[in-house]
Amino acid sequence: MSDVAEPQETVELKIGEESYSLPVITGSYQEKGIDISKLLKTTGHVTFDEGFKNTGSTTSSITFIDGIKGILEHRGYPIEQLADHSSFTEVMFLLLNTELPSATELSHFEQKLKDNATPPVGLRAILDSLPREAHPMSMIGTIISALPGFYPESVDSWKNEDIRWNTIYRLLGHMPAMVAYVYRRRQGLAYIDPDPSLGYVENFLHMMYGEVNAEVAEALDTLLVLHADHEQNCSAATVRMAGSSHVNLFAAIAAGNSALWGPLHGGANQKVIEMLEAIREDGGDTQKYIDKAKDKEDPFRLMGFGHRVYKNFDPRAKVIKMYTDKVLDALNIDDPVLDIAKGLEKEAIADPYFSSRKLFPNVDFYSGIIYRALGIPVPMFTVMFALGRLPGWIAQWKELRESGQAIGRPRQIYTGYTKRDYTPMEDRS
Ligand code: CMC
């Protein structure tokens, strides 16, 4: 692992007649960032970058993405290798501790998760007080937000290392049961207690369905690995922004979870299946939907296509596509929506609108088909994303804690009225 090297290079910025020298920081793969942290003080200017398309908000040693080459690595390990060889719990350990665990370390880590597999019973009462039809992301958000109430000492998880680790184990340990509770509450089924003899993903399936299919468990484990972290995306950046106020882990994760819900982020997996279903019900005319997506007058977008960072392919989508066939075969499922997805992908990729804008299927394009094959209802998909992304969010919050970074507080360019006098009510038109 390499830290950011001392700046050797500078760039010159000219404002009017004045020249300013800005240091350039260099990452592990020689990626460059112009350090503007003293710009306001020295020049009176801020930078402007709506949507942070060109702004590095932090240094980080957790995840590396090269969007042009389609590379995703966690702590240096390529996602394809982790998907092939690692378990979800092993990847959790890696994200949190930088190195892959030894057998003893992994079994100790997994035991900690098992010790924390049972959430406070009061969470069930909270879920029971929500309408059954409530969106699962509202349900999971509500019970994540409730956790500091059950564990008051967790408010010191920023300050105190022992409490920090206890809170991390609690959250990771509780999450499978919490997701299963959400599912069973919506289905109107009785809650199932964890089974300490089972592994993390098997136990999750046991609490969801009361039974465990080994092939399903293996596929789900891989899907969760593929979602484990994705550097400074909308939800991780939200976790860091909230965490920078030194708020406790549970609260920061609740913030990230809310950010995930949106259809442009984790909510896309639900929208993909809804779109594929709509195409099927509309007679399967994929070209019609491609044309809609290309029409600038039409707000419709091909869900599961495009990515802020990946501009050739999403390496996670490649692995998922392979697993989709494997899971459907293993479960002996013939899903007509898969054929529509494959047709849509082929036609969109061949279309200059999509190729010229570098729009390719992303992780969400095929994940929904697998979730559906596993019997997970469509509105639950984003909660499944949250289950997978949880260790990444925690690793981001923990890294922020260890970095001593300042509170996040962007600037703005104000475009409203300049100062004016109050108008009495009778003078207003
Ligand atoms: N369908 C049709 N056109 C699109 C799409 C799409 N899915 N995505 C982008 N474009 C067009 C867009 O209209 C724009 O065209 P033009 O240059 O003519 O104005 C161009 O491509 C660039 O789009 P952008 O919105 O500036 O790109 P962005 O980097 O801001 O947005 C995105 C990335 C993922 C939000 C966007 O591609 C999108 O809305 N995709 C659909 C939603 C989706 O699948 N989200 C899941 C992302 S992966 C999971 C995750 O990490 O959250």
Side-chain angles (χ1 to χ4, degrees), residues 116-361:
N116 286 284
T118 309
V121 73
L123 290 189
R124 296 178 175 190
I126 293 176
L127 277 181
D128 289 344
S129 70
L130 291 174
R132 257 188 64 195
E133 325 65 64
H135 193 284
M137 282 300 282
S138 161
M139 289 184 168
I140 195 76
T142 301
I143 56 177
I144 294 173
S145 299
L147 287 172
F150 290 95
Y151 301 115
E153 73 280 13
S154 68
V155 296
D156 288 331
S157 51
W158 184 268
K159 275 201 292 209
N160 179 303
E161 193 175 0
D162 289 341
I163 296 177
R164 185 151 58 246
W165 274 107
N166 278 342
T167 308
I168 290 173
Y169 288 132
R170 269 190 184 136
L171 186 50
L172 286 170
H174 289 358
M175 191 68 167
M178 287 163 61
V179 173
Y181 287 177
V182 167
Y183 166 77
R184 294 189 73 85
R185 166 72 187 134
R186 279 181 51 91
Q187 303 294 115
L189 299 166
Y191 300 116
I192 299 178
D193 290 327
D195 176 344
S197 72
L198 297 172
Y200 194 80
V201 174
E202 287 83 3
N203 197 22
F204 167 67
L205 290 172
H206 157 74
M207 291 183 284
M208 287 279 282
Y209 304 121
E211 60 182 25
V212 183
N213 172 323
E215 274 165 329
V216 167
E218 196 196 323
L220 184 56
D221 199 281
T222 307
L223 257 189
L224 295 173
V225 166
L226 293 175
H227 283 85
D229 190 52
H230 214 230
E231 52 116 305
Q232 306 313 314
N233 54 79
C234 178
S235 56
T238 303
V239 168
R240 278 188 179 256
M241 177 61 94
S244 76
S245 73
H246 297 192
V247 76
N248 69 80
L249 176 67
F250 293 138
I253 298 300
N257 185 66
S258 294
L260 185 75
W261 190 354
L264 297 189
H265 190 13
N269 54 16
Q270 171 176 349
K271 295 289 167 206
V272 170
I273 288 289
E274 286 169 1
M275 173 187 78
L276 295 173
E277 281 290 5
I279 298 176
R280 189 173 70 107
E281 278 161 25
D282 199 17
D285 185 355
T286 42
Q287 191 56 49
K288 179 174 158 188
Y289 286 82
I290 288 181
D291 292 342
K292 265 168 78 63
K294 286 159 61 176
D295 180 357
K296 293 289 168 200
E297 302 300 311
D298 190 328
F300 176 79
R301 283 189 163 198
L302 271 197
M303 297 314 287
F305 262 75
H307 200 275
R308 171 63 61 79
V309 181
Y310 295 122
K311 296 301 175 197
N312 275 317
F313 65 92
D314 178 341
R316 303 166 300 171
K318 272 196 165 176
V319 179
I320 285 189
K321 191 175 173 185
M322 205 174 72
Y323 267 85
T324 313
D325 288 325
K326 216 167 129 178
V327 170
L328 295 194
D329 278 355
L331 297 175
N332 215 0
I333 292 175
D334 184 18
D335 190 343
V337 149
L338 179 63
D339 296 330
I340 292 179
K342 285 185 172 167
L344 195 65
E345 177 186 353
K346 210 165 147 197
E347 286 162 37
I349 285 174
D351 191 308
Y353 173 95
F354 292 92
S355 52
S356 66
R357 287 171 180 75
K358 310 273 185 202
L359 300 171
F360 297 89

Side-chain angles (χ1 to χ4, degrees), residues 367-381:
S367 64
I369 296 175
I370 302 191
Y371 288 142
R372 208 157 77 132
L374 302 185
I376 294 166
V378 177
M380 282 287 296
F381 288 2

Side-chain angles (χ1 to χ4, degrees), residues 13-44:
L13 174 71
K14 203 154 179 276
I15 305 178
E17 291 307 304
E18 294 288 331
S19 262
Y20 303 90
S21 187
L22 300 172
V24 173
I25 61 168
T26 306
S28 303
Y29 283 103
Q30 301 306 306
E31 66 276 28
K32 307 276 184 185
I34 301 168
D35 180 352
I36 51 100
S37 51
K38 300 205 168 61
L39 198 67
L40 180 60
K41 223 192 237 166
T42 51
T43 73

